[in-house]
Amino acid sequence: MKALIVDDELLARALIKKHLSRFPQFSQIEECSDAISALKTLNSYSPDVLFLDIQMPEISGMEMLEIADVKAQVVFTTAYDNYAVEAFEKNAIDYLLKPISEQRFDSCVEKLLQNVGAKEETINDKIKDVQISEAYLNRIVIKENSEIHFIPLDQISYMEAYDDYVKFYTTQGKMFIKHKTMKSLERTLNPKDFVRIHRSYIIRIDQVTKIEPYEKDKLIAILKDKSRLPISKTGHTKLKNAIGI
């Protein structure tokens, strides 16, 4: 088995390597100090197991997973315990709290070895419906070909569901698409700034200029960019509560 360790702390990487050295099943071990270099390494190395720090500079571990096609079993490592992710309960994924004890690491490896040969599933499929942390997002990270875009949420006008993807429309008139579900996205947005007005649309509240009737008993929201988006009955209630009317 091949392992890849991604952590910006040298001592943290060294500890995981020390733990792994006790298991002959891991014949190759590579390491990266940041997500950018890890993205490049993934293309050529194809690890079986990825030990991934969550909080790293520039691109976090979670953001990295959202823009990479990772087929490895993923083990999250972090010094913080405020990440409530129910996906960690799956045998294919584990969650190690630093400093990682030998006993806890052994338990993790046991899970990994039991899962060898299981049906491959990208990490995007595993986490797309999961709430990542208690904090609200402040940006969206999207990979297009070889380019990585960081889009501040205050530049998002609205979001549209597109099968298992979400389209992000910016105030600059651009559109980006990301593999994510509206359900998981909605949980990570600050309700003071965003509201889901329809099963297919989430809007930034300060982009609304007018609410108008549309056909019988139907409403639409008109945004600053002239977009006209349908409002469901539930969405109308949410929108009224959000803007205080």
Side-chain angles (χ1 to χ4, degrees), residues 70-73 92 114-123 125-126:
V70 179
K71 292 182 172 63
Q73 298 185 69
Q114 288 176 350
N115 201 58
V116 172
K119 181 180 178 181
E120 284 190 343
E121 180 182 20
T122 64
I123 187 64
D125 293 329
K126 293 171 184 173

Side-chain angles (χ1 to χ4, degrees), residues 186-233:
E186 185 179 11
R187 287 197 299 255
T188 62
L189 298 173
N190 192 331
K192 294 181 180 179
D193 299 321
F194 292 90
V195 62
R196 189 168 185 175
I197 61 169
H198 187 273
R199 60 189 175 93
S200 298
Y201 295 99
I202 295 175
I203 62 172
R204 186 170 177 88
I205 297 169
D206 63 11
Q207 293 298 302
V208 179
T209 61
K210 193 183 299 184
I211 299 174
E212 288 186 350
Y214 174 70
E215 296 182 352
K216 184 179 179 180
D217 298 327
K218 294 184 179 180
L219 296 170
I220 58 171
I222 301 176
L223 309 187
K224 290 181 180 180
D225 64 0
K226 309 303 181 183
S227 296
R228 300 165 67 87
L229 307 179
I231 305 174
S232 66
K233 290 183 179 180

